[in-house]
Amino acid sequence: MITMGKKKMMQEKNSKRKWIPVVSIALVAFFVFFAGCLDNEPGNEDTNGELIPGAVIEMSQNTFGMSDLIEFDIRNTGNTNLMFGRNFDIEFYNASIAAWEPVEMDMVVTMDMIILAPGEVFTQGFTPEEVFVDEIEEGQYRIKKAVSVAETDESMELEKTFMIETGSE
């Protein structure tokens, strides 16, 4: 009788152990299913699936002094993610030769990769008297910045013109 009681106890334990793999598989399937459901962010595509990259440089004003902080925003106006670094170029419009000339800057930028989602804005800035190597001339300048489309690696160059007045401090 003692052995019969042990067999019965063993059978009860074995039947409980049979459920452990079934419950484990069910839980894993449940988590996998709902993990896919958590990605409910709208995609970077419009209704017909076409990717439309777009970006602009915006400034709060168009005229600055030599010691003013010149801040500019890069706004993602498309439906794709944009990638870019912190580097940018400044050019001066030389009216005597009717051409844009690069402005040499003494500025350290980190080698970050910034990813800008649709509708987001990234702000950068500089002060001409702190970063321009040569003497600041009054006149028209422009910012040039290269950005890439994350989904296609297509690149585009953004530009924004502004004025620097040497008499306005």
Side-chain angles (χ1 to χ4, degrees), residues 88-100:
F88 59 91
D89 295 314
I90 302 292
E91 294 180 336
F92 172 71
Y93 185 73
N94 187 335
S96 63
I97 61 170
W100 290 99

Side-chain angles (χ1 to χ4, degrees), residues 7-167:
K7 282 185 179 179
K8 189 174 183 183
M9 276 181 34
M10 293 295 280
Q11 285 176 350
E12 286 177 16
K13 284 183 180 179
N14 285 340
S15 65
K16 288 180 182 177
R17 288 184 183 165
K18 287 180 184 177
W19 284 101
I20 291 175
V22 173
V23 170
S24 298
I25 291 170
L27 282 173
V28 168
F30 176 78
F31 288 127
V32 168
F33 173 76
F34 281 106
C37 293
L38 292 176
D39 186 19
N40 58 1
E41 293 289 321
N44 290 335
E45 300 177 2
D46 61 9
T47 55
N48 63 3
E50 185 180 350
L51 295 175
I52 304 171
V56 294
I57 294 178
E58 300 173 330
M59 300 173 111
S60 61
Q61 62 190 60
N62 289 324
T63 304
F64 300 90
M66 296 184 323
S67 60
D68 290 343
L69 173 63
I70 299 176
E71 286 189 319
F72 59 97
D73 297 332
I74 295 97
R75 179 178 301 278
N76 186 344
T77 59
N79 65 355
T80 61
N81 288 325
L82 298 178
M83 300 183 311
F84 53 88
R86 294 182 183 272
N87 58 324
F88 59 91
D89 295 314
I90 302 292
E91 294 180 336
F92 172 71
Y93 185 73
N94 187 335
S96 63
I97 61 170
W100 290 99
E101 298 177 335
V103 173
E104 187 179 351
M105 294 188 295
D106 182 19
M107 185 168 70
V108 176
V109 293
T110 58
M111 296 302 290
D112 300 344
M113 177 59 67
I114 298 152
I115 299 176
L116 199 61
E120 288 186 344
V121 175
F122 179 77
T123 303
Q124 285 187 261
F126 66 96
T127 304
E129 72 179 4
E130 292 176 6
V131 299
F132 287 12
V133 172
D134 298 324
E135 185 178 330
I136 301 170
E137 295 183 51
E138 186 170 271
Q140 187 176 20
Y141 289 80
R142 73 177 171 190
I143 298 169
K144 294 179 78 173
K145 183 152 186 87
V147 300
S148 298
V149 179
E151 291 83 357
T152 64
D153 283 335
E154 169 188 348
S155 66
M156 58 182 136
E157 189 165 74
L158 307 178
E159 295 180 358
K160 179 67 176 178
T161 60
F162 61 96
M163 299 292 292
I164 292 181
E165 294 179 349
T166 55

